[in-house]
Amino acid sequence: MSDTPSGSPKLTRRPEWTALEDHRKDALPQPDLRELFAADPGRAERYVVHVGDLRIDYSKHLITDETLALLQELATATDVSGLRDAMFRGEKINVTENRAVLHTALRAPRDAVIEVDGENVVPGVHAVLDKMAAFANRVRSGEWTGHTGKRIRNVVNIGIGGSDLGPAMAYEALRPFTARELTFRFVSNVDGADLHEATRDLDPAETLFIVASKTFTTIETITNATSARSWLLDGLGGDDKAVAKHFVALSTNAEKVADFGIDVDNMFEFWDWVGGRYSYDSAIGLSLMIAIGPDRFREMLDGFRIVDEHFRNAPAEANAPLIMGLLGIWYGNFHDAQSHAVLPYSHYLSKFTAYLQQLDMESNGKSVDRDGNPVEWQTGPVVWGTPGTNGQHAYYQLIHQGTKLIPADLIGFARPVAELGDELKAQHDLLMANLFAQGQALAFGKTAEEVRAEGVPEEQVPHRTFQGNHPTTTILATELTPSVLGQLVALYEHKVFVQGAVWNIDSFDQWGVELGKVLAKRVEPALTETFASAADAAGSVPGLDPSTAALVA
Ligand code: F6P
């Protein structure tokens, strides 16, 4: 039965997979959460896992002990723990790029030893963190001044994808911990409007640009950085020397940084074993470190590390990322769920789901396995969502009464942030009441009998009935601190890892973004020309299809 080069059977032919299919058909053909709770009230306590400050309740899922046992058998059969250990050891598990996958080394303690090609990478990680801390402190204290001697008051991060979403999300999440006297902006879009809006009210003499790009070749970032340099030089009288005081770079590519004109002394390094979407706890987090300070940044790294250690050492039945990953597989592969909603009940997490979209969809949006064979099973879900209460008045209707099964994560915090006044703090109970109410309504719905008992006219009963059985995971913590944010991000990083391991895909490459980049480069020069017809446009741009040729014309 071995039908892959590695000698193992294809996923869907594994007995552990077919056992789950049978279980879904025979034991849980129409799972009913009311019945599951009635038969087993203890599940409310049993299906909870604690990691660090997080309490993760997965009792409102369409599962029984048997489901969990079968999912764990699938994880064992697909050797999730073996791949996990290989990742932590620094093996080159990113097979298509022949790279180690070591974002966990970014938060390893100083005395850890993690080797890539025989070299311990941990001292380098801490050297960069120390350099970042020294720089962040200089900016925060006003010691680092701009070209004219004015102190820096504005920090503009220019990056895209992982070089934008992580720091932008974390800055938003940790706003109460930021230096409020400084202004932070994040520019990513190649639409010039993004840079324009980010800089139009800033004084160039007080503005620091952080150009964040792992490769330092990403067209959007280099284009924006070039325009930012012009804006700066125009504002400061054209002296090229100003660049050294107003531009720093975060990159793995010193040569390209120097080519751009940024002094490599002002470059904060990271390494090819850090994936872009796993990078905001590397040098890519410099803007965040300036915002929250080095101590808070280190607290965040400690939070990541708590979950790393948990993922590595906790037994399977109490391993939070493993359980969350397997639950996603249960819905995606055995219930035809196409998407997964992440619904934070926290204004500060307003960018969290957008961040997770890249983390999850760029990692697991793959259709060939690690050996290059087409997969015959569903892989990563569409990840979507916005802060919960806003979503309630927009798309929750579809989750409650639509025809699609959409598993969701509800994330909330027991306490509001300290700096809110008493009246705003009091609103927190209403916020959390909504989180709890939604979890309950989604799981247990409202039966036709219950609706009738309220005296609703018979013709309206079907419209006011809620079928329930919409699965949710509820993730709670006392408050949103830097450590808790690190814990949350690491939780999702490892969840994504688990799913990629079971699906036998390379979660660490992203070839799918390449084609569009190549075609854009080809089309761009033609957009300055005028064409009389689609045929003329097609003649000018090699390989242009007739539809796109007409659009270009
Ligand atoms: O979209 C592809 C991608 O390579 C992402 O993986 C990455 O986060 C982003 O582009 C930005 O890349 P860079 O940091 O090299 O500019």
Side-chain angles (χ1 to χ4, degrees):
M1 216 169 52
S2 96
D3 44 16
T4 66
S6 49
S8 49
K10 269 203 178 145
L11 184 58
T12 45
R13 269 178 246 160
R14 286 183 182 277
E16 296 80 7
W17 185 276
T18 49
L20 278 160
E21 285 176 332
D22 293 344
H23 173 68
R24 167 84 175 96
K25 264 191 259 133
D26 304 335
L28 284 177
Q30 283 184 319
D32 185 306
L33 280 167
R34 286 179 184 240
E35 282 171 20
L36 290 174
F37 271 89
D40 175 17
R43 62 188 280 138
E45 283 99 57
R46 215 166 58 251
Y47 294 168
V48 173
V49 54
H50 292 267
V51 47
D53 299 300
L54 308 177
R55 181 187 194 277
I56 302 165
D57 178 330
Y58 58 99
S59 62
K60 295 192 188 77
H61 278 283
L62 308 176
I63 54 168
T64 62
D65 287 354
E66 193 189 349
T67 323
L68 286 168
L70 291 171
L71 286 166
Q72 291 288 4
E73 281 169 27
L74 181 67
T76 305
T78 50
D79 198 21
V80 173
S81 58
L83 193 69
R84 173 199 65 195
D85 295 343
M87 172 177 75
F88 277 97
R89 273 198 304 272
E91 285 177 30
K92 296 190 175 171
I93 64 163
N94 176 356
V95 285
T96 73
E97 295 181 305
N98 192 30
R99 286 180 182 166
V101 174
L102 269 183
H103 40 280
T104 52
L106 298 171
R107 51 263 190 166
R110 267 183 210 275
D111 58 356
V113 177
I114 304 169
E115 292 189 350
V116 177
D117 295 328
E119 192 199 331
N120 181 13
V121 299
V122 178
V125 167
H126 283 273
V128 173
L129 279 172
D130 293 344
K131 182 176 170 184
M132 288 164 66
F135 181 75
N137 282 333
R138 289 180 76 190
V139 175
R140 285 165 66 84
S141 68
E143 186 196 328
W144 180 280
T145 52
H147 183 61
T148 65
K150 280 188 165 180
R151 72 168 287 185
I152 296 297
R153 295 186 191 282
N154 316 307
V155 176
V156 181
N157 187 84
I158 299 179
I160 198 164
S163 301
D164 166 72
L165 289 163
M169 176 280 289
Y171 170 72
E172 213 51 53
L174 299 177
R175 257 181 196 255
F177 301 89
T178 60
R180 298 286 198 176
E181 69 280 11
L182 300 178
T183 297
F184 290 85
R185 305 250 163 97
F186 296 85
V187 172
S188 55
N189 200 325
V190 76
D191 182 341
D194 197 0
L195 183 66
H196 168 71
E197 290 297 335
T199 52
R200 53 176 288 283
D201 56 347
L202 303 185
D203 176 356
E206 299 181 338
T207 301
L208 174 74
F209 289 99
I210 298 181
V211 185
S213 176
K214 179 177 170 181
T215 54
F216 232 75
T217 57
T218 304
I219 190 100
E220 293 88 342
T221 300
I222 300 307
T223 305
N224 275 324
T226 306
S227 299
R229 186 172 53 190
S230 304
W231 175 85
L232 180 94
L233 294 179
D234 287 352
L236 296 181
D239 183 353
D240 271 353
K241 286 203 200 79
V243 172
K245 300 294 277 177
H246 293 267
F247 273 80
V248 299
L250 320 175
S251 189
T252 59
N253 193 340
E255 205 181 316
K256 292 278 177 201
V257 168
D259 286 353
F260 181 84
I262 296 178
D263 188 340
V264 284
D265 282 350
N266 294 340
M267 168 178 152
F268 298 82
E269 184 196 9
F270 63 113
W271 307 271
D272 72 359
W273 41 261
V274 182
R277 52 195 175 273
Y278 298 87
S279 69
Y280 96 80
D281 47 340
S282 70
I284 290 294
L286 182 65
S287 55
L288 177 69
M289 192 191 267
I290 296 172
I292 63 174
D295 292 345
R296 295 293 196 187
F297 194 88
R298 287 186 199 278
E299 281 173 34
M300 185 185 75
L301 296 181
D302 293 343
F304 274 95
R305 191 162 62 237
I306 289 169
V307 177
D308 292 345
E309 292 303 318
H310 166 91
F311 180 46
R312 210 173 176 178
N313 300 317
E317 63 283 1
N319 195 307
L322 179 63
I323 293 167
M324 285 175 65
L326 291 173
L327 288 170
I329 285 168
W330 178 230
Y331 296 114
N333 296 108
F334 300 95
H335 292 75
D336 298 326
Q338 297 290 317
S339 78
H340 183 95
V342 180
L343 308 166
Y345 281 72
S346 162
H347 183 68
Y348 290 111
L349 287 185
S350 59
K351 294 191 173 166
F352 190 64
T353 310
Y355 169 77
L356 291 185
Q357 283 180 324
Q358 187 198 12
L359 177 65
D360 199 322
M361 294 165 78
E362 204 173 68
S363 296
N364 285 343
K366 309 287 163 65
S367 55
V368 294
D369 69 16
R370 293 162 67 83
D371 300 312
N373 304 307
V375 295
E376 292 164 11
W377 47 92
Q378 288 292 309
T379 59
V382 175
V383 175
W384 61 284
T386 53
T389 43
N390 299 16
Q392 283 171 214
H393 294 274
Y395 50 76
Y396 272 42
Q397 164 67 37
L398 184 145
I399 307 181
H400 280 288
Q401 288 190 315
T403 51
K404 294 176 174 56
L405 177 71
I406 302 175
D409 298 343
L410 309 174
I411 304 173
F413 303 95
R415 282 195 209 133
V417 306
E419 74 179 37
L420 299 189
D422 287 345
E423 195 174 344
L424 295 181
K425 270 193 187 137
Q427 291 184 203
H428 196 72
D429 288 344
L430 184 56
L431 174 71
M432 291 304 286
N434 272 281
L435 181 157
F436 296 128
Q438 289 299 327
Q440 185 176 350
L442 287 165
F444 303 110
K446 194 171 180 184
T447 64
E449 290 68 46
E450 287 167 339
V451 177
R452 271 186 207 106
E454 288 175 354
V456 170
E458 193 54 34
E459 69 277 11
Q460 285 204 9
V461 169
H463 300 283
R464 298 206 190 184
T465 299
F466 290 67
Q467 66 263 41
N469 297 318
H470 299 292
T472 55
T473 301
T474 305
I475 303 175
L476 297 180
T478 306
E479 56 192 317
L480 181 53
T481 61
S483 172
V484 166
L485 183 68
Q487 293 170 37
L488 275 173
V489 172
L491 177 71
Y492 281 95
E493 285 178 348
H494 297 318
K495 172 203 157 169
V496 166
F497 176 92
V498 166
Q499 297 186 335
V502 171
W503 290 323
N504 190 28
I505 54 178
D506 187 337
S507 298
F508 302 101
D509 61 15
Q510 57 284 317
W511 299 106
V513 298
E514 293 303 318
L515 179 60
K517 289 188 198 171
V518 172
L519 296 183
K521 263 196 195 149
R522 216 182 276 168
V523 170
E524 194 206 349
L527 298 181
T528 53
E529 294 177 42
T530 306
F531 299 108
S533 66
D536 284 355
S540 162
V541 184
L544 210 59
D545 69 88
S547 162
T548 313
L551 295 170
V552 168

